Amino acid sequence: MTPSDPDTMMTAMVRAQELTFDTGQRFTILTCDQQLYRVAVQVLWAHPDRFKDMCLRLGGMHALMSFVKAIGTLMAESKLSDILTEMFGGVQKMLSGKKFPQNVRALRLLAEKVLRSIITCGEFKTADDLMSALEERASQSKTVRVWVDVLIKPVFLMMSYVRAEREGDWLLHLATFRQMLPYYFAASHVHYARYGLYYLRTMEKLPPHVLSHFMKGEHVTRHIRGIWNGIWNDQFIESTFMRYGHGSGGIIGITLKEETLKVWALSRHLCCRIEHGLNEMEKGETSHTSQLYHKEEGKARIQADGKDRAGIRQKLEAYVDPLDSNEHPDGIVNIASGRVATPAVNVHDAVSIGETMLADFEKDLPSGFYNTISKKVTTMAVVGKSLQVGDAKAYDLNAIYARVIALLASDYDVDIKDVLSYELAPVPTSMFKKDGMRIAKGKSALKNSLQVEVSSRNAGDADVTVIDGSALLWTIHWPADGTVADYVTNVKKRVASYLVDSDVYLIFDRYDDYSIKSVTRDGRETGVSRTHRLSLTTKLPAQKVVLSNVENKKQLIRIICNDLTGDRLFHNRSTEKHKLVVTGEDPCPTEIKKEDISIRYDLETYHEEADIIIVQQALKCASEARRLAVVSDDTDVFVLLVHHYEEAKLKLPMKMESPSKGRAVVDIQRTVEKHRDIVKQLLPAHALSGCDTVACCFGVGKGSVVKCLRAGYKLNTIGNVDASFNDVIDQATAFMSACYGVKDAKDMSQTRLYVWGKKNGKGHTSTPNLSVLPPTREAFAENVKRAHYQAILWRILDTNDLPKLNPEDFGWKKDTSNKSLTPSAIPDGIKLAPDYIMAMIRCGCKSKNPCSSKKCSCVASHGSDCTIFCACYPIGCARVK
């Protein structure tokens, strides 16, 4: 029988009583982990007279492990795990309650570093002073409330819980465990919530004789005499019998013979005592050896703690300060990405919700002991991974598709043509991943396959240079120990080097609210969200911290632009021969020529993308330049230059070079001449096949795009303001179908069916992944809208000629909490699968005669047939269809 079998547990309880009585002790104290504690309680309730002198204790170590898991559950998707991963291995196991006590140490060090910002700001004479300060901050921000209530306070509770055991403080143990209970309820750890409350109430009513011993600290165990080294009974077992069982003299993995196991288990403690005595004789020690210091006080541990603290601190410096309410919006913010959770998230109220659940549960006792403990706390993880599907939520992108595959393998009559006309997932997996839109990561392949390279020596010196300022910032020396002013000086030196031979047009990105590039910036998330207040005298943060965070980068660009336009000494030294035109966040650039500073109203633009502004200003300069250079590595800039060079019928030499020295120089003029047959179709093809604002299709690379363009497919309607959307869809469908290897297709769902057949044809032994299938016509149309909108912006460089367009009419939705635009995956009202698949019911019948009563959910639902998804299927239910 298994250890959790009631008969096994009752045998163990009887044997424990016999051993206790043999020693002359009336009361039996039995400690179990939660699984066995639950069974022991039920045995005790069944035989109250037989076990009236037995006191059941819930294993403290396992309770603490579950408490750590509760923290991990409530803090999911808060980037807690990312911070710990910087210095610790196996973090997911840590936060699931495993790897004890390493997880307690990791959380303690993290809490110390999170608290560092508040402790250094004020003087706290007592713990109450610190808690008052934390409460004041938590009242001002939901984000602070989450980190205070769900991380810092639980860590304090863990330390208090450990202290109670180390010092043998029974009252502190009970008081701390009482404060831990709401977290079990909030995190839906139902067994510890239910039986933890029972444990607390029974321990509060111990017999006077037992209580007197516990008050003396006799509820703890020790390996050796000493101070601050008491441990939980279940930890003592884990560190002795369980440890020895796995050790060199252990029994685990040696034999399964019952008699041998019995001899080992019953004699192991005697063998250990003999071994311990021999060791003492060898070392000349006595049996009165005691521990006078803790291993945490050792030099090696102190050094390890210092190293881990430094790593955690460095990671936190890149994130939003979780305790600084001034950096937080109204909602709960993800401290790494800076994104705000939806209003459905209520984890900031976790403790109060847990307290309410605890009170309601206890109010219904004893009759309601087995009442369902519902989940009432919504964490950031639940909202992030679930998607609304009709009236239900889908948590797995492949759940619906898996049903279809299983039905195809059965005798169920399935019309595959009809089924594949549905997306079969909450989002089109060919264009979206679980965490958002698929961003084309192979864009550079397009540039690499088309560019015509020239030697930098043969390219000639340009008399006008247009620079991608944002790309330039990454290549300039970053003074690690300097100030912002030091870096700005380095920027000016680099700009001055270009001004020696040519006029310079320096263009920086703009970052508008509700930008169509929001999804791309989120997709490029690098774990940097801490916003710094930068000025020329500020100590320069790390390069990644500044250039990977939108707010920090905006501040730096503003400082650079102001310094470039305001430094008279720089003007006199560097702009005597050539002019400098700086484009920042203002619509009109600023021109500097020695002591003359003017506004270039002729270059006014409201475009957000630096890519477009770069090409716009390059075309403006083409009429006055003999040779023109564009300093940028971006594929979008390359495509735009090639397109507009041909459209404007330019003849002047134009080169595109990288801001990093040593990379290839591209001759735009010769590139256009070489690929003139596809140049006019290149811009819309690049937009449709995946760019910064349009999803790419899984498996469709830029190489396939060029191949289809060479085959003669046209895309002249994409980006044409006057074209009807039906014509746009027709061209886009024909082109993308060709990229999938389907010619003359008029419907994307038809292409999807063809690819399915091809992937299941001869030579294929496995069912294709859903992501390799093209999107359905409805999902594809949403992506085409975005490509059409982007192509319009690319084609019409002058914003004065640009019609008023609303991105929400072109496949985007407003996210007001984050002031961003998110792509629409599937239009509202579109079914994701046929009704008979979505309506499938899965019963959980596992009895010997399954589905024989109305308790079966399939039977209760008007006699619906069971399916292969039901739990009764492996048993052999006759109702399975």
Side-chain angles (χ1 to χ4, degrees):
M1 292 184 292
T2 62
S4 59
D5 187 280
D7 291 337
T8 305
M9 178 53 67
M10 185 167 182
T11 301
M13 292 169 69
V14 170
R15 179 59 179 157
Q17 275 190 327
E18 292 173 353
L19 291 172
T20 303
F21 294 157
D22 288 345
T23 62
Q25 181 176 311
R26 174 186 170 186
F27 293 98
T28 302
I29 313 300
L30 184 64
T31 301
C32 311
D33 62 22
Q34 189 278 323
Q35 183 183 15
L36 298 182
Y37 182 82
R38 177 170 59 92
V39 180
V41 167
Q42 292 170 350
V43 170
L44 186 148
W45 287 348
H47 306 279
D49 294 334
R50 177 72 178 81
F51 299 108
K52 63 181 180 179
D53 292 332
M54 177 166 285
C55 299
L56 297 176
R57 288 202 63 202
L58 186 60
M61 183 192 75
H62 288 87
L64 184 55
M65 291 168 65
S66 181
F67 186 69
V68 172
K69 184 179 180 181
I71 296 174
T73 300
L74 295 173
M75 291 292 288
E77 291 302 316
S78 65
K79 295 303 177 181
L80 172 66
S81 60
D82 287 13
I83 300 171
L84 295 177
T85 302
E86 187 74 11
M87 296 306 300
F88 304 100
V91 170
Q92 294 304 321
K93 285 188 176 181
M94 283 187 182
L95 296 180
S96 67
K98 306 296 184 183
K99 298 195 72 172
F100 176 86
Q102 292 95 325
N103 50 11
V104 173
R105 173 177 174 267
L107 290 174
R108 173 174 60 81
L109 294 178
L110 174 59
E112 288 179 17
K113 292 295 101 181
V114 171
L115 283 169
R116 182 177 178 275
S117 63
I118 188 173
I119 291 177
T120 54
C121 292
E123 295 183 4
F124 303 102
K125 295 181 180 179
T126 66
D128 290 339
D129 293 340
L130 176 60
M131 295 308 299
S132 297
L134 289 173
E135 280 297 322
E136 182 180 354
R137 293 200 178 198
S139 66
Q140 299 170 2
S141 166
K142 292 181 179 179
T143 303
V144 178
R145 175 61 68 188
V146 170
W147 283 81
V148 168
D149 281 2
V150 191
L151 175 70
I152 294 175
K153 286 184 178 179
V155 168
F156 288 168
L157 288 176
M158 286 192 302
M159 296 300 99
S160 178
Y161 194 64
V162 171
R163 177 186 175 183
E165 210 67 16
R166 295 288 185 267
E167 297 181 351
D169 190 331
W170 177 245
L171 295 182
L172 181 60
H173 168 80
L174 293 182
T176 305
F177 190 77
R178 166 61 184 83
Q179 295 179 70
M180 292 163 61
L181 281 176
Y183 290 91
Y184 293 130
F185 279 91
S188 294
H189 288 201
V190 293
H191 294 309
Y192 270 98
R194 179 178 286 115
Y195 288 94
L197 179 61
Y198 172 79
Y199 165 73
L200 178 66
R201 296 306 179 223
T202 54
M203 292 299 100
E204 290 174 341
K205 298 179 181 179
L206 286 172
H209 178 71
V210 176
L211 179 61
S212 66
H213 283 277
F214 280 15
M215 291 295 290
K216 298 175 184 178
E218 296 177 10
H219 62 287
V220 304
T221 51
R222 289 181 170 87
H223 286 293
I224 58 176
R225 296 179 182 180
I227 57 174
W228 220 77
N229 64 351
I231 59 175
W232 299 279
N233 296 337
D234 54 333
Q235 185 179 6
F236 191 90
I237 294 296
E238 292 283 348
S239 58
T240 51
F241 272 85
M242 300 298 289
R243 179 184 176 186
Y244 300 148
H246 287 278
S248 58
I251 196 69
I252 296 175
I254 303 299
T255 182
L256 292 176
K257 291 182 179 179
E258 186 175 346
E259 284 301 317
T260 305
L261 290 170
K262 186 185 298 183
V263 170
W264 185 90
L266 296 177
S267 64
R268 185 58 189 169
H269 64 292
L270 296 175
C271 293
C272 288
R273 183 175 296 178
I274 294 172
E275 182 181 4
H276 182 68
L278 291 172
N279 287 334
E280 287 183 342
M281 291 173 60
E282 181 182 5
K283 297 177 181 178
E285 297 174 351
T286 68
S287 58
H288 299 291
T289 300
S290 61
Q291 178 180 333
L292 300 178
Y293 65 91
H294 197 273
K295 63 180 180 180
E296 294 283 348
E297 300 175 278
K299 183 178 180 181
R301 176 54 61 86
I302 292 174
Q303 290 177 343
D305 284 355
K307 180 180 177 181
D308 291 339
R309 286 189 182 98
I312 293 172
R313 177 181 175 183
Q314 183 178 6
K315 190 74 172 179
L316 285 171
E317 285 176 348
Y319 289 173
V320 171
D321 186 346
L323 299 186
D324 187 354
S325 58
N326 295 324
E327 295 186 22
H328 304 160
D330 292 337
I332 301 173
V333 66
N334 182 309
I335 67 167
S337 66
R339 294 190 65 81
V340 180
T342 63
V345 175
N346 63 350
V347 69
H348 59 289
D349 293 326
V351 177
S352 59
I353 292 173
E355 288 282 5
T356 302
M357 294 172 69
L358 169 61
D360 291 343
F361 178 77
E362 188 167 20
K363 184 174 61 177
D364 293 336
L365 294 179
S367 60
F369 186 80
Y370 292 107
N371 286 352
T372 301
I373 300 176
S374 302
K375 187 174 184 179
K376 296 183 179 180
V377 175
T378 303
T379 68
M380 297 180 77
V382 171
V383 172
K385 71 181 182 180
S386 66
L387 293 154
Q388 196 71 26
V389 181
D391 296 330
K393 287 184 177 180
Y395 291 86
D396 188 346
L397 296 186
N398 291 309
I400 303 173
Y401 184 59
R403 291 186 177 191
V404 173
I405 299 303
L407 289 177
L408 288 172
S410 68
D411 296 330
Y412 207 98
D413 185 18
V414 178
D415 182 355
I416 191 62
K417 181 178 180 180
D418 174 60
V419 169
L420 288 179
S421 66
Y422 296 87
E423 198 56 55
L424 305 180
V427 295
T429 55
S430 57
M431 301 185 299
F432 285 78
K433 297 181 291 184
K434 202 169 188 178
D435 56 352
M437 193 175 80
R438 290 186 187 275
I439 306 297
K441 295 186 177 179
K443 290 194 307 176
S444 58
L446 180 65
K447 177 172 175 278
N448 294 338
S449 65
L450 297 177
Q451 65 187 18
V452 176
E453 297 181 16
V454 294
S455 168
S456 58
R457 289 178 295 178
N458 298 331
D461 293 330
D463 54 345
V464 175
T465 302
V466 182
I467 302 175
D468 182 348
S470 296
L472 187 72
L473 295 182
W474 284 98
T475 65
I476 295 173
H477 173 65
W478 196 272
D481 296 322
T483 63
V484 173
D486 296 329
Y487 178 72
V488 173
T489 299
N490 292 343
V491 173
K492 289 190 290 187
K493 288 179 181 178
R494 178 68 71 85
V495 173
S497 69
Y498 288 107
L499 283 166
V500 170
D501 299 314
S502 67
D503 293 342
V504 171
Y505 289 73
L506 182 62
I507 299 156
F508 291 102
D509 272 317
R510 295 166 177 172
Y511 298 90
D512 298 338
D513 292 338
Y514 300 106
S515 168
I516 61 173
K517 297 192 76 171
S518 301
V519 66
T520 308
R521 291 164 186 159
D522 291 341
R524 293 172 180 165
E525 179 188 319
T526 54
V528 178
S529 60
R530 172 71 64 87
T531 300
H532 293 264
R533 295 178 178 86
L534 301 180
S535 67
L536 285 171
T537 57
T538 305
K539 185 182 183 304
L540 192 64
Q543 183 184 47
K544 182 180 176 182
V545 171
V546 177
L547 299 185
S548 297
N549 178 280
V550 169
E551 291 302 320
N552 292 336
K553 194 174 181 181
K554 283 168 65 176
Q555 291 183 69
L556 181 63
I557 290 173
R558 190 178 300 121
I559 291 170
I560 292 172
C561 291
N562 291 338
D563 200 76
L564 284 172
T565 56
D567 188 344
R568 296 289 182 176
L569 182 60
F570 170 76
H571 300 168
N572 290 328
R573 287 179 176 177
S574 303
T575 63
E576 184 176 358
K577 294 181 180 180
H578 298 98
K579 63 187 176 185
L580 170 64
V581 180
V582 180
T583 303
E585 59 188 359
D586 294 328
C588 298
T590 301
E591 180 179 307
I592 304 158
K593 184 67 168 68
K594 206 170 182 182
E595 295 183 355
D596 296 330
I597 301 177
S598 58
I599 304 298
R600 289 290 299 270
Y601 293 102
D602 59 315
L603 295 178
E604 180 183 21
T605 181
Y606 291 90
H607 275 297
E608 177 194 7
E609 290 185 75
D611 304 346
I612 297 175
I613 303 173
I614 289 168
V615 177
Q616 179 194 31
Q617 294 192 12
L619 292 180
K620 288 275 190 180
C621 296
S623 59
E624 59 187 57
R626 290 180 291 104
R627 288 180 179 274
L628 195 146
V630 175
V631 180
S632 177
D633 263 335
D634 196 85
T635 301
D636 293 352
V637 174
F638 169 78
V639 171
L640 285 167
L641 284 174
V642 168
H643 174 84
H644 287 285
Y645 190 97
E646 172 67 9
E647 284 290 310
K649 303 189 184 309
L650 299 179
K651 300 296 182 183
L652 84 161
M654 180 185 293
K655 66 178 180 179
M656 181 178 177
E657 61 186 48
S658 171
S660 299
K661 296 188 181 296
R663 295 189 180 179
V665 177
V666 181
D667 189 324
I668 298 297
Q669 183 181 29
R670 291 171 61 185
T671 300
V672 172
E673 292 172 355
K674 182 178 179 180
H675 303 292
R676 186 157 271 130
D677 58 327
I678 64 171
V679 164
K680 290 189 176 181
Q681 312 302 323
L682 190 59
L683 183 147
H686 178 52
L688 183 63
S689 59
C691 59
D692 286 349
T693 56
V694 182
C696 64
C697 287
F698 183 84
V700 177
K702 296 296 182 179
S704 301
V705 170
V706 174
K707 184 178 178 181
C708 291
L709 287 178
R710 301 233 185 258
Y713 286 90
K714 303 296 181 184
L715 294 168
N716 54 292
T717 60
I718 298 179
N720 185 342
V721 179
D722 299 324
S724 70
F725 190 66
N726 288 335
D727 292 339
V728 172
I729 283 289
D730 290 344
Q731 281 194 343
T733 299
F735 180 79
M736 289 304 296
S737 296
C739 291
Y740 276 105
V742 182
K743 296 181 179 180
D744 303 323
K746 298 186 181 300
D747 185 275
M748 212 62 195
S749 294
Q750 175 188 341
T751 302
R752 183 178 170 90
L753 178 63
Y754 178 86
V755 173
W756 163 271
K758 188 177 179 181
K759 296 290 183 182
N760 277 288
K762 188 177 180 180
H764 292 272
T765 57
S766 60
T767 304
N769 191 295
L770 185 60
S771 61
V772 306
L773 301 181
T776 57
R777 72 170 71 89
E778 294 84 4
F780 180 66
E782 293 297 295
N783 209 45
V784 173
K785 289 178 184 178
R786 291 187 284 271
H788 185 45
Y789 183 88
Q790 180 64 79
I792 290 173
L793 298 182
W794 281 348
R795 286 184 187 272
I796 305 175
L797 298 178
D798 193 339
T799 51
N800 293 324
D801 299 330
L802 193 66
K804 289 185 178 181
L805 302 174
N806 184 358
E808 292 181 81
D809 296 331
F810 289 86
W812 279 284
K813 295 180 178 178
K814 269 189 177 182
D815 179 358
T816 54
S817 59
N818 291 291
K819 294 184 178 180
S820 62
L821 294 173
T822 57
S824 169
I826 300 175
D828 295 336
I830 299 296
K831 292 183 178 180
L832 304 182
D835 290 338
Y836 66 89
I837 291 177
M838 293 302 295
M840 279 184 176
I841 298 173
R842 182 187 186 280
C843 72
C845 303
K846 294 182 180 179
S847 64
K848 294 181 179 179
N849 186 22
C851 310
S852 57
S853 68
K854 289 188 177 181
K855 290 183 178 180
C856 169
S857 56
C858 294
V859 173
S861 182
H862 309 293
S864 300
D865 291 324
C866 291
T867 69
I868 56 176
F869 306 110
C870 295
C872 60
Y873 178 74
I875 303 172
C877 177
R879 301 182 69 257
V880 173
K881 183 175 179 180

